[in-house]
């Protein structure tokens, strides 16, 4: 089969023009190309083989392919992966082969990938405490069992991802898609589930105020969740690009521009009705504040610094995204007694008294007409157009890209 393989000798391409943006330069030299690789096989009696229909490009895929990290050699996550990799974990696919131990999934069924390479896919029984609780993204066994190291499909050399015609998946790793939900909507399940996990575990108070920092896939889904499931909460979204801002406004958020940051802080002060306090130098701070939660889908030092300056005393910053580290002024963290919480992916979540997988919650909400993410999937490409796909993401300001996917149909 054809697969887009990362950590291989790249095909030579013409160098970008002098002065091209850093990420454009990185795209020209990234160690990735399309190769013919063996078709996947059943990795156990309880595994399946899937044929890819759509595979979304996650922000983590983009950062990896574009090598968009500074001084990443000591990043602890390099201990949890193996190479070479076929990336792609936001997948809608058809089942084409079923292991003999799988009784409730049939060939021809359409499914969404739940990508976690947790205890069950690794053949580990009994499961670790995290898996027993349904927190598959916190599994203790990502380096153990029958698979090479990897936390999810696409970053283990044994469990290839959706940037290929076919991929393997354990029974626990597939969620059936109802017939009435199109592929273009189903492929958004993964980023929606990431945002649902963050908000379910760290909900805003009734009648409170929440800010979504960033308006890419995670920011858009977080905005949609807050407006649909927490109608009493006032929601602001910080959106960098016009297409993102338009979609956030359609979903019901008040939209602000991220730059310049001092103007953003003053605008959030006006929105939340609090005074602006001005230090001798640098950015202003809001005190007392009326912003209860910030869902930071960017996770850059600049966004964290703004977040802790505008939060209310005792407020919560939920970090969903991650960027390269750098120094920032963090005094408001202790002065306001803030909670800075990491939020990693998704698993079984409790929503409105019902516990089930976050992807299943998404499909139920779509079927019920409570969530509408139409317009979020902005671009589709063939696999052999992969450089065009990533260039579209680099140029979000002009292309209007929010979610980009590879289309194998």
């Amino acid at each position: 089969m054809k697969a887009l393989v990362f950590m291989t000798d790249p095909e030579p391409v013409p160098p970008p023009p002098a002065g091209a943006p850093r990420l454009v330069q990185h795209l020209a030299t990234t160690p990735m190309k399309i190769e013919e690789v063996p078709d996947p096989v059943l990795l156990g009696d309880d595994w399946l083989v899937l044929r890819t229909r759509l595979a979304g490009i996650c922000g983590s895929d983009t950062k990896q392919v574009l090598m968009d990290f500074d001084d990443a050699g000591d990043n602890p996550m390099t201990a949890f992966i193996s190479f070479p990799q076929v990336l792609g974990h936001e997948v809608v696919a058809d089942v084409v082969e079923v292991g003999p131990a799988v009784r409730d999934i049939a060939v021809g069924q359409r499914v969404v990938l739940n990508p976690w390479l947790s205890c069950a896919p690794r053949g580990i029984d009994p499961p670790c405490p995290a898996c027993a609780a349904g927190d598959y993204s916190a599994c203790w066994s990502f380096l153990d069992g029958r698979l090479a190291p990897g936390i999810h499909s696409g970053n283990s050399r044994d469990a290839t991802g959706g940037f290929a015609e076919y991929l393997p998946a354990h029974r626990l790793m597939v969620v059936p898609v109802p017939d009435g939900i199109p592929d273009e909507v189903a492929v958004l399940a993964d980023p929606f589930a990431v945002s649902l996990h963050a908000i379910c575990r760290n909900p805003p108070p009734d009648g409170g105020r929440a800010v979504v920092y960033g308006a890419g896939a995670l920011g858009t889904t977080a905005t949609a969740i807050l407006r649909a499931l927490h109608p009493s909460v006032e929601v602001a979204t910080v959106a960098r690009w016009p297409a993102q801002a338009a979609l956030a406004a359609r979903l019901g958020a008040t939209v602000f521009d991220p730059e310049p940051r001092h103007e953003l802080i003053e605008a959030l002060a006006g929105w939340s009705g609090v005074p602006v306090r001005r230090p001798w130098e640098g950015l202003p701070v809001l005190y007392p504040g009326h912003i209860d939660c910030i869902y930071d889908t960017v996770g850059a030092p600049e966004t964290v610094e703004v977040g802790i300056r505008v939060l209310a005393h005792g407020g919560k910053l939920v970090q969903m995204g991650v960027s390269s580290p750098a120094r920032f002024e963090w005094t408001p963290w202790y002065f306001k007694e803030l909670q800075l919480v990491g939020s990693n992916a998704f698993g079984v979540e409790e929503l409105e008294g019902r516990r089930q997988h976050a992807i299943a919650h998404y499909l139920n909400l779509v079927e019920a007409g409570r969530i509408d993410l139409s317009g979020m999937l902005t671009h589709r490409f063939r696999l052999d157009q992969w450089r065009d796909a990533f260039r579209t993401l680099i140029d979000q300001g002009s292309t209007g890209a929010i979610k980009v996917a590879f289309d194998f149909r």
Side-chain angles (χ1 to χ4, degrees):
M1 69 173 181
K2 286 184 171 60
L4 190 54
V5 181
F6 185 85
M7 199 56 76
T8 188
D9 293 329
E11 294 175 341
V13 297
R22 178 178 67 97
L23 297 184
V24 173
Q25 297 178 38
H26 290 184
L27 179 59
T29 58
T30 189
M32 189 165 75
K33 67 179 178 183
I34 292 179
E35 295 182 349
E36 287 285 343
V37 302
D39 289 351
V41 297
L42 296 173
L43 298 179
D45 288 350
D46 48 358
W47 279 71
L48 310 94
V49 175
L50 313 179
R51 180 191 294 116
T52 309
R53 297 175 67 89
L54 284 177
I57 300 176
C58 177
S60 63
D61 299 325
T62 304
K63 284 187 174 293
Q64 181 171 331
V65 170
L66 299 180
M67 299 175 285
D68 188 18
F69 279 102
D70 299 321
D71 301 323
D74 65 346
N75 187 323
M77 296 312 299
T78 58
F80 295 87
I81 58 178
S82 53
F83 294 103
Q85 298 172 342
V86 177
L87 299 172
H89 56 272
E90 300 180 358
V91 180
V92 182
D94 295 318
V95 177
V96 295
E97 188 175 358
V98 175
V102 178
R103 307 296 184 192
D104 55 345
I105 296 289
V107 169
Q109 208 161 352
R110 191 168 55 118
V111 296
V112 169
L113 183 70
N114 163 41
W116 299 105
L117 302 176
S118 48
C119 284
R122 292 180 171 277
I124 294 172
D125 188 39
C128 72
C131 286
D135 292 332
Y136 305 118
S137 62
C139 175
W140 296 12
S141 306
F142 287 136
L143 281 72
D144 305 322
R146 58 188 170 190
L147 302 175
I151 61 173
H152 58 63
S153 296
N155 59 33
S156 165
R157 65 173 177 266
D158 292 336
T160 51
F163 294 178
E165 296 173 289
Y166 299 90
L167 70 155
H170 184 265
R171 169 60 190 93
L172 187 66
M173 296 168 60
V174 297
V175 180
V177 179
D179 291 340
I181 297 179
D183 295 339
E184 290 79 2
V185 173
V187 77
L188 306 174
D190 185 290
F192 183 94
V194 172
S195 296
L196 186 69
H197 172 84
I199 295 170
C200 281
R201 306 289 176 103
N202 305 279
D206 289 343
R209 291 181 177 86
V211 172
V212 178
Y213 213 131
L218 294 186
T220 298
T221 53
T223 298
I225 291 165
L226 288 167
R227 297 306 303 135
L229 305 183
H230 296 273
S232 70
V233 173
E234 293 187 47
V235 179
T237 300
V238 182
R240 184 178 182 186
W241 305 118
Q244 297 175 343
L247 183 52
R250 181 174 71 78
L251 291 169
T254 302
V255 181
F256 297 98
D257 193 292
E259 296 292 344
R261 287 189 293 155
H262 72 275
E263 291 185 8
L264 170 62
I265 292 173
E266 298 207 15
L268 289 172
W271 173 74
S272 58
V274 296
V276 177
R277 314 299 185 182
R278 303 186 190 281
W280 292 342
E281 298 178 1
L283 298 172
V285 62
L286 307 189
Y287 192 85
H290 291 163
I291 296 174
D292 303 288
C293 293
I294 294 179
Y295 302 94
D296 187 349
T297 70
V298 182
E302 297 82 3
T303 63
V304 175
E305 182 171 23
V306 169
I308 64 176
R309 285 175 184 259
V310 304
L311 276 168
H313 189 280
K316 184 178 289 189
L317 188 150
V318 183
Q319 183 177 331
M320 302 160 61
V322 61
S323 300
S324 299
R327 181 199 177 276
F328 66 91
E329 172 50 57
W330 65 350
T331 305
W333 181 10
Y334 92 87
F335 180 66
K336 296 185 183 183
E337 298 186 333
L338 302 176
Q339 302 176 64
L340 273 62
V341 180
S343 182
N344 174 30
F346 52 84
V348 174
E349 311 297 339
E350 182 166 340
L351 176 63
E352 299 174 343
R354 184 176 183 182
R355 278 183 58 80
Q356 63 178 359
H357 197 277
I359 289 175
H361 279 305
Y362 170 66
L363 297 173
N364 291 160
L365 290 165
V366 170
E367 272 201 301
R370 298 179 63 188
I371 290 291
D372 177 10
L373 295 177
S374 56
M376 183 173 148
L377 178 62
T378 55
H379 295 76
R380 290 173 291 169
F381 293 90
R382 299 188 311 272
L383 191 65
D384 61 4
Q385 297 174 306
W386 66 271
R387 289 187 186 275
D388 295 331
F390 284 96
R391 183 59 193 262
T392 297
L393 287 163
I394 292 172
D395 297 333
Q396 283 178 290
S398 58
T399 63
I402 300 177
K403 174 56 65 180
V404 176
F406 291 118
D407 194 336
F408 294 83
R409 296 171 297 182

